[in-house]
Amino acid sequence: MNKKDIDWSNLGFGYIETEKRFVSNFKGDAWDSGALTTDATIALSECAGVLQYAQTIFEGLKAYTTNDGHIVTFRPDLNAERMEASALRLEMPAFPKDRFIDAVVEVVKANEAFVPPYGSGATLYIRPYMFGSSPVIGVKPAQEYQFRIFCTPVGPYFKGGAKPLKLRVCDLDRAAPHGTGNIKAGLNYAMSLHAIVSAHHEGFDENMYLDAATRTKVEETGGANFLFVTKDNVIVTPKSPTILPSITRRSLMTVAKDYLGLKVEEREVHVSELADFAECGLCGTAAVISPVGMVVDHGKEIKFPSGMAEMGPVTKQLYDTLTGIQMGRLKAPDGWIKVIK
Ligand SMILES: Cc1ncc(COP(=O)(O)O)c(C=O)c1O
């Protein structure tokens, strides 16, 4: 397989059109058999449900080249399950889990020339998504849907090392109690855009969202779950019904317990206890863990002892272990790695 002539280690996190994508349509009461296509565009009714009432959901996962030259994906079954939960919440038809995994494999195989080589730090980002495609003018679910998967090579998240982030406690809410914060719906991201643009404008890297009901508990950022390390090396992650169940965070909790022998706790985390933690990180597919050095709560600076220069030691161990599993350097728990054959 000849790889594309791409400067892998200088890729950013952007869209590069690859050769093939998977498309399946839902009509009547069934998904069609679906197929790969070279057409990267979509023609839609001007009144499509997605355009009028934002009936759209998505997923994000990656394919990696391992140290022995295989191409693998990481826990795609969990992306399929989360997408099913997202679909049901927005009255969309679920795309069957086995077909979701098969389609991921098909798309990666068809774009093998775009899968970055081992050691480049780059990966292939895979984006499954689904949207209401038939016309809808009264507020109701569409009758027809399209499911697609495209992929795009993305660069190493940390160029020149993982620099700790500076967050602010955000005055806008991300998710309402009993709302859609726990699913991956486009609407959750549209409403976060103003908050992130203004955070950047004010010199912050990300927003720390709080629970909308009491504004006393830590939720997540616009695109990652929190993970804290106590001064006694206990791994703590916020428990909330209104955050997205991050696959990376769930995997890191297992890694902490089973590989590193650390105690883990999933519980409510109050803003008032932030100053007690030794380390803080953001976990998600994009970066695995991004270290957080400081949170600013309305002018009050909360600095984690791990500082603004580098990743804290426990965060680094977690990062090294999970990326070791993903890249084939460490033995994975059963079922975590799907080899693309
Ligand atoms: C709001 C939000 N939280 C958390 C995550 C991290 O989830 P995962 O680890 O499954 O990528 C993401 C990214 O998918 C996200 O968009």
Side-chain angles (χ1 to χ4, degrees):
M1 164 58 56
N2 285 333
K3 293 284 176 189
K4 292 283 168 191
D5 185 18
I6 292 174
D7 182 4
W8 304 107
S9 38
N10 283 312
L11 275 174
F13 196 88
Y15 172 73
I16 294 174
E17 190 180 315
T18 56
E19 262 144 37
K20 299 214 172 122
R21 66 280 301 130
F22 177 85
V23 185
S24 177
N25 289 296
F26 182 91
K27 201 170 178 173
D29 60 2
W31 290 101
D32 67 16
S33 54
L36 292 174
T37 172
T38 54
D39 190 355
T41 64
I42 301 171
L44 270 183
S45 162
E46 63 186 353
C47 198
V50 58
L51 299 178
Q52 303 309 320
Y53 303 122
Q55 203 184 10
T56 180
I57 56 175
F58 66 102
E59 274 302 323
L61 68 162
K62 284 176 168 178
Y64 313 83
T65 305
T66 59
N67 58 349
D68 57 2
H70 288 108
I71 297 174
V72 302
T73 57
F74 183 69
R75 310 188 80 179
D77 51 322
L78 297 189
N79 293 97
E81 284 169 14
R82 192 168 64 186
M83 192 157 186
E84 178 168 357
S86 300
L88 298 181
R89 178 67 175 79
L90 293 196
E91 286 296 330
M92 303 166 89
F95 194 74
K97 181 171 161 180
D98 53 340
R99 290 199 56 202
F100 177 105
I101 297 169
D102 289 349
V104 166
V105 170
E106 230 186 302
V107 169
V108 175
K109 265 190 186 165
N111 295 290
E112 200 183 329
F114 289 91
V115 183
Y118 177 76
S120 63
T123 53
L124 188 76
Y125 184 75
I126 305 163
R127 170 54 61 89
Y129 60 115
M130 189 198 291
F131 52 88
S133 53
S134 59
V136 175
I137 195 76
V139 178
K140 60 179 184 227
Q143 288 187 305
E144 294 173 14
Y145 294 86
Q146 189 164 101
F147 171 83
R148 296 177 76 101
I149 305 181
F150 69 79
C151 61
T152 186
V154 293
Y157 202 82
F158 301 125
K159 282 189 188 142
K163 198 178 154 299
L165 307 175
K166 182 176 165 190
L167 272 51
R168 68 163 183 191
V169 171
C170 188
D171 285 329
L172 298 175
D173 293 325
R174 175 183 172 275
H178 316 291
T180 55
N182 60 338
I183 62 161
K184 211 160 162 63
L187 55 91
N188 290 338
Y189 298 83
M191 52 64 58
S192 75
L193 297 177
H194 177 63
I196 192 66
V197 169
S198 72
H200 288 166
H201 199 69
E202 290 173 25
F204 298 99
D205 299 300
E206 275 293 346
N207 287 302
M208 171 181 272
Y209 288 105
L210 305 185
D211 73 298
T214 70
R215 302 198 55 78
T216 58
K217 289 175 269 182
V218 176
E219 292 259 297
E220 59 176 331
T221 66
N225 283 179
F226 279 103
L227 195 144
F228 299 97
V229 184
T230 69
K231 289 176 180 147
D232 304 327
N233 284 357
V234 176
I235 310 297
V236 177
T237 191
K239 186 181 175 79
S240 159
T242 49
I243 63 176
L244 191 78
S246 157
I247 294 163
T248 314
R249 185 255 302 163
R250 287 183 271 162
S251 304
L252 285 166
M253 298 301 269
T254 302
V255 162
K257 195 157 56 75
D258 297 349
Y259 284 67
L260 304 178
L262 298 172
K263 199 166 159 240
V264 300
E265 285 176 6
E266 188 177 354
R267 61 162 170 87
E268 289 184 343
V269 174
H270 287 82
V271 184
S272 57
E273 56 177 313
L274 283 178
D276 299 336
F277 291 117
E279 298 175 36
C280 171
L282 300 180
C283 21
T285 295
V288 181
I289 315 184
S290 312
V292 175
M294 189 198 297
V295 179
V296 180
D297 181 8
H298 301 91
K300 188 176 128 207
E301 290 186 350
I302 302 155
K303 296 179 177 163
F304 297 105
S306 51
M308 291 302 288
E310 54 190 28
M311 233 183 214
V314 178
T315 307
K316 174 102 173 57
Q317 264 187 310
L318 286 167
Y319 177 85
D320 287 345
T321 310
L322 187 57
T323 51
I325 290 169
Q326 290 170 333
M327 299 292 177
R329 296 185 294 267
L330 293 173
K331 187 173 165 4
D334 285 349
W336 278 25
I337 300 294
K338 170 94 188 154
V339 180
I340 309 282
K341 292 196 184 103

